[in-house]
Amino acid sequence: SQTIHQWPATLVQPVGSPLSLECTVEGTSNPNLYWYRQAAGRGLQLLFYSVGIGQISSEVPQNLSASRPQDRQFILSSKKLLLSDSGFYLCAWSVARRKAFFGQGTRLTVV
Amino acid sequence: AQKITQTQPGMFVQEKEAVTLDCTYDTSDPSYGLFWYKQPSSGEMIFLIYQGSYDQQNATEGRYSLNFQKARKSANLVISASQLGDSAMYFCAMREGLISGTYKYIFGTGTRLKVLA
């Protein structure tokens, strides 16, 4: 069966520090991968999506970047975090017409 | 412009009553999918129901049904016989880009539902 792993679950980082959130999918090949951010009590904002290795589409220009070094690995990064980067980050995957499956999320607090 | 609009930031419903959560969408893609997800306080995203743009009948999944009105571009979620455990944030989402192969999932801002005992 397919599973998605996202870590860490919680992260507190100082302003100006780097960030690396990792997401891996098991049990499927060539998934579409997504990173979303959810501000407290708000909706999900699509940050990046990828349809294949090395193919990254950015939805919102910001302080973050994404990479897909392997078929089932999706990484969200920042060189220098801002206070406004705080939020709940969700990784998701889908295949073709199927529903998106979500990871458990990472709650990031930038202090 | 908003592609998915949920106009109800919060809703209350009495236990055992039915409730409708509104969702309208905007797309020029001829083939798309519409989804509803539930997000309890834990933060996990729970898939509830799916409607394809070419589906002739409204989707149903247990107590959940999707009132799909294509001409009006609306995809409202109906929860029948509400339970206390239904209290959560509900998101409407659209998957477009099937023709181009981009498969983007766009979410609305959500509706927070509170079921009252």
Side-chain angles (χ1 to χ4, degrees), chain A residues 51-73:
Chain A
V51 298
I53 296 175
Q55 300 178 59
I56 308 295
S57 296
S58 174
E59 285 295 293
V60 182
Q62 56 206 315
N63 186 40
L64 302 169
S65 62
S67 62
R68 184 171 177 172
Q70 300 180 45
D71 181 45
R72 291 170 288 177
Q73 184 184 29

Side-chain angles (χ1 to χ4, degrees), chain B residues 15-31:
Chain B
E15 194 178 10
K16 300 180 184 177
E17 298 288 316
V19 63
T20 298
L21 306 184
D22 295 341
C23 174
T24 57
Y25 61 92
D26 182 30
T27 182
S28 57
D29 203 322
S31 180

Side-chain angles (χ1 to χ4, degrees), chain B residues 36-83:
Chain B
W36 278 90
Y37 285 82
K38 171 184 177 181
Q39 187 184 45
S41 57
S42 62
E44 64 179 312
M45 294 290 285
I46 302 170
F47 166 77
L48 297 178
I49 196 165
Y50 162 77
Q51 180 87 41
S53 59
Y54 292 121
D55 293 343
Q56 295 296 315
Q57 292 189 327
N58 287 343
T60 60
E61 290 282 352
R63 295 187 298 113
Y64 304 106
S65 61
L66 199 152
N67 184 2
F68 181 45
Q69 298 188 42
K70 194 171 183 177
R72 298 178 61 183
K73 293 189 175 180
S74 74
N76 298 339
L77 176 70
V78 180
I79 305 175
S80 62
S82 297
Q83 302 171 357

